[in-house]
Every structure is written in structure tokens, then in C-alpha cells.
Amino acid sequence: MQIGIDIASIARIKHFINRFNQKALDRFLTSNEQTLYGTQPQKVASAWAAKEAFSKALGCGICAKCGFLDIELFRNQNGQPYLVLSPRIQDSFQIRSTSISISHDYGFVIAAVIVECNKNSIFLDSRENQ
């Protein structure tokens, strides 16, 4: 199991949305997420922090191995957040499960993600070689 954490400024995300409009959203939100969150800065910041935290838990950050659009953030009927991963990420890292917690206060959003991979995951191979 690995953990990743990220904090995002809601004001910074709002500025990003205002400055780049749709291009900003297209860069890191899937069309499903855009439908759910619109341009609501707090919700968009939650998605940003969640995706960054997930990629940090993998140990690679947002990069060619794990892009923003490979990760989707949703909420169940009780409001609990959960992640949906692209098949590429699911298969490459052999992810068994994820758990996420998101909180916001005083203009910031924080996300913590726990990732559990199968024993023969490339993720674990890269960590063992360090």
C-alpha cells in the first residue's frame, strides 16, 4: 500500500479557470467530470488535488505514465468520493483498490489517496529497485 497527498488552492484553480476557460477544464477533467463539476472552483480543485494525490501514491506524479485524464473523481449517493481509473492505468500498475478522502477549509482542498497494487505490479518493481 502507498499513500499520496496533495493540497490545492481554490483561488488558484479559480484563476486558472478564468484565465484559460474551457482549455483549463479540458486539460485535466474528463467530459463526465466537466458535466458534474462545471466551473465550480471548489469542486474542480477537489478533482485536481485528488488526481495529484493519486499520481503521487503511484510514485510517478502526473506524467506520461499517469495523466490527469486517466483518473476520474466521482461521489457515491452518500457523497463519498471514489476514483475511476482508465484501463491503461488499472492494467499497467495492476491496481487492486484505492481509497480517497477529501476535505476543504479556508480556501484550500486537501486529498489523500491510498493505492493497493498486486505484488507483480510495475509500480512495486520500480520501488524495489530504488
Side-chain angles (χ1 to χ4, degrees):
M1 260 189 253
Q2 299 296 324
I3 187 167
I5 191 165
D6 192 69
I7 187 169
S9 163
I10 296 169
R12 189 178 117 232
I13 296 297
K14 183 177 181 179
H15 175 74
F16 181 65
I17 294 168
N18 290 337
R19 182 170 180 201
F20 297 106
N21 301 308
Q22 190 61 42
K23 280 184 177 182
L25 300 176
D26 291 342
R27 179 173 173 224
F28 72 94
L29 294 179
T30 66
S31 58
N32 290 331
E33 291 171 311
Q34 289 182 41
T35 300
L36 287 173
Y37 309 141
T39 57
Q40 299 173 62
Q42 182 173 306
K43 291 183 178 186
V44 174
S46 294
W48 180 282
K51 293 175 183 213
E52 285 281 354
F54 173 79
S55 70
K56 289 173 182 177
L58 291 182
C60 62
I62 296 295
C63 64
K65 292 180 185 177
C66 178
F68 280 118
L69 301 179
D70 288 315
I71 312 155
E72 290 185 292
L73 175 68
F74 296 105
R75 294 187 182 272
N76 67 18
Q77 65 271 15
N78 297 323
Q80 179 182 15
Y82 67 95
L83 298 173
V84 174
L85 308 172
S86 71
R88 180 178 77 93
I89 294 298
Q90 191 76 41
D91 295 342
S92 294
F93 291 93
Q94 296 185 20
I95 295 168
R96 187 181 309 168
S97 66
T98 63
S99 181
I100 182 167
S101 181
I102 300 172
S103 187
H104 51 84
D105 198 10
Y106 289 100
F108 291 93
V109 172
I110 190 165
V113 174
I114 296 173
V115 176
E116 185 177 10
C117 297
N118 290 330
K119 290 189 180 199
N120 56 350
S121 162
I122 64 167
F123 164 71
L124 293 175
D125 291 342
S126 66
R127 294 251 171 162
E128 290 171 359
N129 293 330
Q130 293 180 356

